[in-house]
Amino acid sequence: MSDAEQPTDDGVPGDDEFEPIQVFPEAEDMDLRPGADDCYKCSTCDTNCPVAEVDDEFPGPKFQGPEQWRLKRQDDQDIDDSVMKCSNCMRCDSACPSDVPLSQMHNTARGEYVEEQMDKFSREYVRNRILANYRRLAPLGSMFPRTTNFVMGLSATQWLGEKVLGITGEREFPEFATETFREWWTKRGGAQVQNEDKRIAYFHGCYSNYNTPEVGKALVRVYEELGYEIMVPDQHCSGTPMFANGMLEDARRSAETNVRELGAAIEDGADIVASCSSCSMSLRQEYPELFDFEGTEAVAANTWDAVEYLRVHEDLEGELEGTSVGDEFENFAYHAPCHARNQGLDGQTMEVLAPIDGVEARDVGDSCSGISGTYGWKAENYETSMKIGDEMFDHMEEADAETGLTECPTCSMQMEHGTGYEITHTLEVLEAALVGSTEADSQ
Amino acid sequence: MAIEDDVLVIGGGLAGATAALAAAEEGAQVRLVSYKQSTLRHASGLIDVLGYTPAGEGPLVDPFDALEGLPDGHPYERVGSEAVREALEFFDDIAGDAYDGAHTDANALVPTHGGTVKPTARYPASTAEGLASDDRDTLLVGFETLPDFEAPLAAAHLEAAGAPFAARGVTVRFPGLVRDDAKVTRYAHLLDHDEAVTTAAGETTARDALAETVRGHLEDETRVGFPAILGDDHAAEVRADLGDRLGVDVFEVPMGPPSLPGMRLEDLLYDALQEAGVRVTTGVPVVDYETDGDATRIDRVVVDRHGAEVPHRADQYVLATGGLVGKGVESERERVFEPIFDCHVPHASDRYEWFVDDVFGDQPYARFGLPVDRELRPLDAGDEPEFSNLRAAGAVLGGYDFAAEKSGSGVSLATGYVAGRRAGAEGGE
């Protein structure tokens, strides 16, 4: 028996249920040692990191993950502040041939850094907290959407944002919709199809609620067309921007609400579907990695991407065969978001749109858009974010299309910002094909 | 509903991509599912067929001479040497200008980052000017911040190995990089985009600055070798540009992992897959399978998407999940196994017989993998096919030691090609 297998804690005599994890005194905390030990330093993750490719300051995922995890086990070792330069694209996860939980390590390291090393009165902390908690501010903005859009669009506001908060003045704030998705849902009287056997609960997330309700409406129309009863449970932010900013306590509170509400929907016979790839990523992977509320695993196992769900539960290809759409959906430059790629959804949109008449979509390749949620909104990251995005902008411009297509709200901001193209969501194209856009407009 | 195709290839490396492309050529609708990114990023990018015989004879001048003498059960013996030729031609069509070596059956000798020479059948165009059979004097340039390539040592090694030219190595600082441990992709990106860099001489561009740094070290050599970091998306342009500025031929020395030539090969294959209409799903593992009443036929496999189980059905399946590194074959203390279909992997029951004490000796574990029939169907312990519609290709196969034989890419190509062709022909019916 090697030393590593010797139980050093006070094993009760006769208790032969030995778990190797008990050897380490910190076993009550998250113990990532087995994952760290799986790293054999092949550095494949480093070659996938879009930040390390353009930013000299960033030491890469191998350092941020297993190496830093080992270092910080020493009492006198602080978390390296470069961890805040990780954009949480999670590409390193699917790069690793050895299943090292890299993004989980980054999330925990970032959480610890913010908790223990960041000055809570600093501009950076306040700014990050605001960006991470977009969900808390959005209701205020959307109460008077036109005023907010006007004020946020003022150059003085942008200048102030940059000078006071470090939010880049280069970007335009996303507009608030004049009616949120939930307002629309309530006004139409909720679900219009009742069906005990086919029931889904929609996790709309913040963005399609406050900013792009047309995506949520498209989902509702497509699913109802196919006979589904839709529930829209109470929900909070998925937590993605909080993980990326190390605000793990905020994320925990949001996750608690979501797991409780979505868990109740599962009890009612529903599966969960999300229209945003970062939201589904969060519920499926990050929740079980970081939290252990009752029901976390059940929520993860029953959460789907909205299009993926239809592919598996319906004959979507058959439904779409021979349908057509108007010329506003003729040509697309498609970008697969990192968080869709990590869920094995990278080829999905191209496949699903293929049988629709008149739609030409071109995949612009596997580059990262570079914005990574709140990352590209920070003044100090703006340049890095645009450098990462360069390849995607080039490929979008090379493609024979002037409309972009993607499933991630912040990727679409970046695509629009870098090329000036209008950006559509896959669900909106499906809506046009299956339901018809004119009919949808009058509904 | 399951997600349906004619042929489903599991694994996204050289064998899987080749199988998918060959099946698509038969007219089948093909899907390739790959869990993690392929270990092509660990690969040198060289396409070797056979450098040494299983008995250790070599380096071989003509690998095809030696193919006939391989033992029963060796993957090449299973598919036959004609299939190896066809697979190489298939590869040549895909690779186009990106690879050289198709003009001859003879192996080329490519200098490696350790200063040894590797016998290989096809090599990236970026290494073409560096061949060890070429007698032009050579300057090797290494970088202080890239410890994996020690140019003076590699040059000395080459000379000691009897290379027919004078080789000299220098180590310089890569201009414009501030990190000591920058990623290889960072070097490549700087050169690809010819970014502005600041040097002692003022502001210039990355390619200019690099040429300037090397120029002073150049004596009468007519070719200069760099570690393989000369660009990713625009590698040919970077190389040509540096050559023009220096007035010599420029080549790359293949490096250990992570390897840009491996990544470029990966891009080449994935572009071809897209072109061929193969549906590619990455980032998710195949975790299980179901048979349809008849236990000898796979009905569907289950793909795990972070907890949600997504069924994929096809008529024919190809297993190309790699060997011990790619984790297509796994081992525990008591057993060696194939994790998806639990296909038979022959191995001694006593684990002390899995290896020999001499590290560089003839290691039994190096040959662990699936035994197959001539159709490349995995065989059970009684030599019967495990499933009628499953074939295997690449490093998941047993009976050969690719590291000792230098046969990894060739076996992946040949078996991927044969498995894909057959699966495509049967699945597309």
PDB file of all heavy atoms in Angstrom, chain A residues 334-356:
ATOM      1  N   TYR A 334     -23.057  31.593 -40.133  1.00  0.00           N
ATOM      2  CA  TYR A 334     -23.351  31.001 -38.830  1.00  0.00           C
ATOM      3  C   TYR A 334     -22.102  30.864 -37.954  1.00  0.00           C
ATOM      4  O   TYR A 334     -21.075  30.364 -38.394  1.00  0.00           O
ATOM      5  CB  TYR A 334     -23.988  29.614 -39.008  1.00  0.00           C
ATOM      6  CG  TYR A 334     -24.164  28.896 -37.678  1.00  0.00           C
ATOM      7  CD1 TYR A 334     -25.095  29.368 -36.752  1.00  0.00           C
ATOM      8  CD2 TYR A 334     -23.368  27.805 -37.342  1.00  0.00           C
ATOM      9  CE1 TYR A 334     -25.234  28.752 -35.524  1.00  0.00           C
ATOM     10  CE2 TYR A 334     -23.516  27.176 -36.108  1.00  0.00           C
ATOM     11  CZ  TYR A 334     -24.443  27.658 -35.205  1.00  0.00           C
ATOM     12  OH  TYR A 334     -24.579  27.050 -33.983  1.00  0.00           O
ATOM     13  N   HIS A 335     -22.224  31.288 -36.722  1.00  0.00           N
ATOM     14  CA  HIS A 335     -21.140  31.109 -35.745  1.00  0.00           C
ATOM     15  C   HIS A 335     -21.642  30.232 -34.606  1.00  0.00           C
ATOM     16  O   HIS A 335     -22.658  30.536 -33.982  1.00  0.00           O
ATOM     17  CB  HIS A 335     -20.696  32.469 -35.198  1.00  0.00           C
ATOM     18  CG  HIS A 335     -19.885  32.371 -33.920  1.00  0.00           C
ATOM     19  ND1 HIS A 335     -18.569  31.970 -33.910  1.00  0.00           N
ATOM     20  CD2 HIS A 335     -20.213  32.598 -32.622  1.00  0.00           C
ATOM     21  CE1 HIS A 335     -18.121  31.958 -32.660  1.00  0.00           C
ATOM     22  NE2 HIS A 335     -19.098  32.333 -31.849  1.00  0.00           N
ATOM     23  N   ALA A 336     -20.936  29.127 -34.348  1.00  0.00           N
ATOM     24  CA  ALA A 336     -21.300  28.253 -33.226  1.00  0.00           C
ATOM     25  C   ALA A 336     -20.639  28.779 -31.953  1.00  0.00           C
ATOM     26  O   ALA A 336     -19.421  28.847 -31.875  1.00  0.00           O
ATOM     27  CB  ALA A 336     -20.843  26.824 -33.501  1.00  0.00           C
ATOM     28  N   PRO A 337     -21.445  29.162 -30.948  1.00  0.00           N
ATOM     29  CA  PRO A 337     -20.879  29.694 -29.705  1.00  0.00           C
ATOM     30  C   PRO A 337     -20.057  28.620 -28.977  1.00  0.00           C
ATOM     31  O   PRO A 337     -20.369  27.432 -29.086  1.00  0.00           O
ATOM     32  CB  PRO A 337     -22.114  30.044 -28.857  1.00  0.00           C
ATOM     33  CG  PRO A 337     -23.286  29.971 -29.763  1.00  0.00           C
ATOM     34  CD  PRO A 337     -22.914  29.106 -30.912  1.00  0.00           C
ATOM     35  N   CYS A 338     -19.046  29.057 -28.242  1.00  0.00           N
ATOM     36  CA  CYS A 338     -18.210  28.099 -27.504  1.00  0.00           C
ATOM     37  C   CYS A 338     -19.073  27.213 -26.604  1.00  0.00           C
ATOM     38  O   CYS A 338     -18.844  26.022 -26.487  1.00  0.00           O
ATOM     39  CB  CYS A 338     -17.177  28.830 -26.654  1.00  0.00           C
ATOM     40  SG  CYS A 338     -15.987  29.770 -27.622  1.00  0.00           S
ATOM     41  N   HIS A 339     -20.062  27.817 -25.939  1.00  0.00           N
ATOM     42  CA  HIS A 339     -20.858  27.040 -24.990  1.00  0.00           C
ATOM     43  C   HIS A 339     -21.828  26.083 -25.691  1.00  0.00           C
ATOM     44  O   HIS A 339     -22.353  25.171 -25.067  1.00  0.00           O
ATOM     45  CB  HIS A 339     -21.603  27.970 -24.020  1.00  0.00           C
ATOM     46  CG  HIS A 339     -20.684  28.618 -23.019  1.00  0.00           C
ATOM     47  ND1 HIS A 339     -21.114  29.479 -22.043  1.00  0.00           N
ATOM     48  CD2 HIS A 339     -19.339  28.520 -22.844  1.00  0.00           C
ATOM     49  CE1 HIS A 339     -20.089  29.898 -21.321  1.00  0.00           C
ATOM     50  NE2 HIS A 339     -18.992  29.330 -21.796  1.00  0.00           N
ATOM     51  N   ALA A 340     -22.081  26.273 -26.977  1.00  0.00           N
ATOM     52  CA  ALA A 340     -22.853  25.294 -27.745  1.00  0.00           C
ATOM     53  C   ALA A 340     -21.917  24.172 -28.179  1.00  0.00           C
ATOM     54  O   ALA A 340     -22.244  22.989 -28.108  1.00  0.00           O
ATOM     55  CB  ALA A 340     -23.491  25.945 -28.960  1.00  0.00           C
ATOM     56  N   ARG A 341     -20.738  24.584 -28.620  1.00  0.00           N
ATOM     57  CA  ARG A 341     -19.702  23.635 -29.034  1.00  0.00           C
ATOM     58  C   ARG A 341     -19.421  22.631 -27.913  1.00  0.00           C
ATOM     59  O   ARG A 341     -19.322  21.432 -28.151  1.00  0.00           O
ATOM     60  CB  ARG A 341     -18.457  24.481 -29.314  1.00  0.00           C
ATOM     61  CG  ARG A 341     -17.304  23.846 -30.000  1.00  0.00           C
ATOM     62  CD  ARG A 341     -16.312  24.943 -30.399  1.00  0.00           C
ATOM     63  NE  ARG A 341     -16.820  25.738 -31.489  1.00  0.00           N
ATOM     64  CZ  ARG A 341     -16.839  25.328 -32.752  1.00  0.00           C
ATOM     65  NH1 ARG A 341     -16.333  24.172 -33.068  1.00  0.00           N
ATOM     66  NH2 ARG A 341     -17.339  26.074 -33.697  1.00  0.00           N
ATOM     67  N   ASN A 342     -19.313  23.130 -26.696  1.00  0.00           N
ATOM     68  CA  ASN A 342     -19.000  22.255 -25.564  1.00  0.00           C
ATOM     69  C   ASN A 342     -20.137  21.307 -25.213  1.00  0.00           C
ATOM     70  O   ASN A 342     -19.958  20.395 -24.430  1.00  0.00           O
ATOM     71  CB  ASN A 342     -18.674  23.087 -24.317  1.00  0.00           C
ATOM     72  CG  ASN A 342     -17.335  23.762 -24.444  1.00  0.00           C
ATOM     73  OD1 ASN A 342     -16.593  23.464 -25.372  1.00  0.00           O
ATOM     74  ND2 ASN A 342     -17.012  24.649 -23.536  1.00  0.00           N
ATOM     75  N   GLN A 343     -21.320  21.557 -25.749  1.00  0.00           N
ATOM     76  CA  GLN A 343     -22.435  20.644 -25.493  1.00  0.00           C
ATOM     77  C   GLN A 343     -22.682  19.732 -26.691  1.00  0.00           C
ATOM     78  O   GLN A 343     -23.699  19.063 -26.765  1.00  0.00           O
ATOM     79  CB  GLN A 343     -23.722  21.432 -25.202  1.00  0.00           C
ATOM     80  CG  GLN A 343     -23.651  22.256 -23.934  1.00  0.00           C
ATOM     81  CD  GLN A 343     -24.904  23.100 -23.749  1.00  0.00           C
ATOM     82  OE1 GLN A 343     -26.001  22.587 -23.563  1.00  0.00           O
ATOM     83  NE2 GLN A 343     -24.753  24.415 -23.808  1.00  0.00           N
ATOM     84  N   GLY A 344     -21.742  19.739 -27.641  1.00  0.00           N
ATOM     85  CA  GLY A 344     -21.912  18.898 -28.809  1.00  0.00           C
ATOM     86  C   GLY A 344     -22.975  19.426 -29.755  1.00  0.00           C
ATOM     87  O   GLY A 344     -23.604  18.673 -30.482  1.00  0.00           O
ATOM     88  N   LEU A 345     -23.186  20.743 -29.749  1.00  0.00           N
ATOM     89  CA  LEU A 345     -24.250  21.316 -30.577  1.00  0.00           C
ATOM     90  C   LEU A 345     -23.686  22.131 -31.735  1.00  0.00           C
ATOM     91  O   LEU A 345     -24.415  22.854 -32.404  1.00  0.00           O
ATOM     92  CB  LEU A 345     -25.150  22.212 -29.711  1.00  0.00           C
ATOM     93  CG  LEU A 345     -25.830  21.511 -28.536  1.00  0.00           C
ATOM     94  CD1 LEU A 345     -26.512  22.538 -27.630  1.00  0.00           C
ATOM     95  CD2 LEU A 345     -26.850  20.500 -29.034  1.00  0.00           C
ATOM     96  N   ASP A 346     -22.379  21.982 -31.979  1.00  0.00           N
ATOM     97  CA  ASP A 346     -21.740  22.864 -32.959  1.00  0.00           C
ATOM     98  C   ASP A 346     -22.283  22.708 -34.381  1.00  0.00           C
ATOM     99  O   ASP A 346     -22.367  23.662 -35.124  1.00  0.00           O
ATOM    100  CB  ASP A 346     -20.210  22.719 -32.942  1.00  0.00           C
ATOM    101  CG  ASP A 346     -19.754  21.274 -32.837  1.00  0.00           C
ATOM    102  OD1 ASP A 346     -20.589  20.410 -32.530  1.00  0.00           O
ATOM    103  OD2 ASP A 346     -18.564  20.997 -33.052  1.00  0.00           O
ATOM    104  N   GLY A 347     -22.656  21.486 -34.754  1.00  0.00           N
ATOM    105  CA  GLY A 347     -23.128  21.297 -36.122  1.00  0.00           C
ATOM    106  C   GLY A 347     -24.642  21.368 -36.261  1.00  0.00           C
ATOM    107  O   GLY A 347     -25.190  21.276 -37.356  1.00  0.00           O
ATOM    108  N   GLN A 348     -25.315  21.535 -35.128  1.00  0.00           N
ATOM    109  CA  GLN A 348     -26.771  21.363 -35.123  1.00  0.00           C
ATOM    110  C   GLN A 348     -27.540  22.326 -36.031  1.00  0.00           C
ATOM    111  O   GLN A 348     -28.388  21.908 -36.813  1.00  0.00           O
ATOM    112  CB  GLN A 348     -27.270  21.502 -33.685  1.00  0.00           C
ATOM    113  CG  GLN A 348     -28.780  21.470 -33.560  1.00  0.00           C
ATOM    114  CD  GLN A 348     -29.214  21.464 -32.108  1.00  0.00           C
ATOM    115  OE1 GLN A 348     -29.216  20.433 -31.480  1.00  0.00           O
ATOM    116  NE2 GLN A 348     -29.564  22.627 -31.582  1.00  0.00           N
ATOM    117  N   THR A 349     -27.227  23.602 -35.913  1.00  0.00           N
ATOM    118  CA  THR A 349     -27.980  24.584 -36.687  1.00  0.00           C
ATOM    119  C   THR A 349     -27.851  24.326 -38.188  1.00  0.00           C
ATOM    120  O   THR A 349     -28.835  24.370 -38.929  1.00  0.00           O
ATOM    121  CB  THR A 349     -27.514  26.006 -36.317  1.00  0.00           C
ATOM    122  OG1 THR A 349     -28.054  26.308 -35.031  1.00  0.00           O
ATOM    123  CG2 THR A 349     -27.988  27.040 -37.316  1.00  0.00           C
ATOM    124  N   MET A 350     -26.641  24.002 -38.633  1.00  0.00           N
ATOM    125  CA  MET A 350     -26.427  23.740 -40.053  1.00  0.00           C
ATOM    126  C   MET A 350     -27.274  22.546 -40.512  1.00  0.00           C
ATOM    127  O   MET A 350     -27.866  22.561 -41.584  1.00  0.00           O
ATOM    128  CB  MET A 350     -24.950  23.453 -40.332  1.00  0.00           C
ATOM    129  CG  MET A 350     -24.004  24.540 -39.879  1.00  0.00           C
ATOM    130  SD  MET A 350     -24.168  26.038 -40.845  1.00  0.00           S
ATOM    131  CE  MET A 350     -23.456  25.485 -42.377  1.00  0.00           C
ATOM    132  N   GLU A 351     -27.306  21.518 -39.673  1.00  0.00           N
ATOM    133  CA  GLU A 351     -28.068  20.309 -40.024  1.00  0.00           C
ATOM    134  C   GLU A 351     -29.556  20.591 -40.079  1.00  0.00           C
ATOM    135  O   GLU A 351     -30.262  20.138 -40.969  1.00  0.00           O
ATOM    136  CB  GLU A 351     -27.833  19.210 -38.979  1.00  0.00           C
ATOM    137  CG  GLU A 351     -26.518  18.492 -39.139  1.00  0.00           C
ATOM    138  CD  GLU A 351     -26.291  17.494 -38.019  1.00  0.00           C
ATOM    139  OE1 GLU A 351     -27.266  16.862 -37.557  1.00  0.00           O
ATOM    140  OE2 GLU A 351     -25.140  17.355 -37.587  1.00  0.00           O
ATOM    141  N   VAL A 352     -30.042  21.312 -39.069  1.00  0.00           N
ATOM    142  CA  VAL A 352     -31.477  21.527 -38.946  1.00  0.00           C
ATOM    143  C   VAL A 352     -31.998  22.425 -40.069  1.00  0.00           C
ATOM    144  O   VAL A 352     -33.095  22.219 -40.583  1.00  0.00           O
ATOM    145  CB  VAL A 352     -31.783  22.120 -37.545  1.00  0.00           C
ATOM    146  CG1 VAL A 352     -33.164  22.702 -37.504  1.00  0.00           C
ATOM    147  CG2 VAL A 352     -31.626  21.049 -36.487  1.00  0.00           C
ATOM    148  N   LEU A 353     -31.200  23.410 -40.466  1.00  0.00           N
ATOM    149  CA  LEU A 353     -31.683  24.339 -41.484  1.00  0.00           C
ATOM    150  C   LEU A 353     -31.604  23.761 -42.897  1.00  0.00           C
ATOM    151  O   LEU A 353     -32.263  24.250 -43.811  1.00  0.00           O
ATOM    152  CB  LEU A 353     -30.895  25.655 -41.418  1.00  0.00           C
ATOM    153  CG  LEU A 353     -30.990  26.444 -40.103  1.00  0.00           C
ATOM    154  CD1 LEU A 353     -30.367  27.822 -40.270  1.00  0.00           C
ATOM    155  CD2 LEU A 353     -32.435  26.590 -39.626  1.00  0.00           C
ATOM    156  N   ALA A 354     -30.789  22.697 -43.055  1.00  0.00           N
ATOM    157  CA  ALA A 354     -30.553  22.166 -44.405  1.00  0.00           C
ATOM    158  C   ALA A 354     -31.834  21.821 -45.183  1.00  0.00           C
ATOM    159  O   ALA A 354     -31.919  22.135 -46.370  1.00  0.00           O
ATOM    160  CB  ALA A 354     -29.611  20.971 -44.335  1.00  0.00           C
ATOM    161  N   PRO A 355     -32.839  21.172 -44.569  1.00  0.00           N
ATOM    162  CA  PRO A 355     -34.015  20.814 -45.366  1.00  0.00           C
ATOM    163  C   PRO A 355     -34.958  21.974 -45.699  1.00  0.00           C
ATOM    164  O   PRO A 355     -35.891  21.792 -46.463  1.00  0.00           O
ATOM    165  CB  PRO A 355     -34.744  19.773 -44.494  1.00  0.00           C
ATOM    166  CG  PRO A 355     -34.182  19.856 -43.143  1.00  0.00           C
ATOM    167  CD  PRO A 355     -32.888  20.585 -43.216  1.00  0.00           C
ATOM    168  N   ILE A 356     -34.732  23.160 -45.127  1.00  0.00           N
ATOM    169  CA  ILE A 356     -35.642  24.286 -45.400  1.00  0.00           C
ATOM    170  C   ILE A 356     -35.286  24.927 -46.736  1.00  0.00           C
ATOM    171  O   ILE A 356     -34.130  25.266 -46.975  1.00  0.00           O
ATOM    172  CB  ILE A 356     -35.556  25.353 -44.283  1.00  0.00           C
ATOM    173  CG1 ILE A 356     -35.796  24.721 -42.915  1.00  0.00           C
ATOM    174  CG2 ILE A 356     -36.535  26.489 -44.546  1.00  0.00           C
ATOM    175  CD1 ILE A 356     -35.595  25.675 -41.759  1.00  0.00           C
TER     176      ILE A 356
END
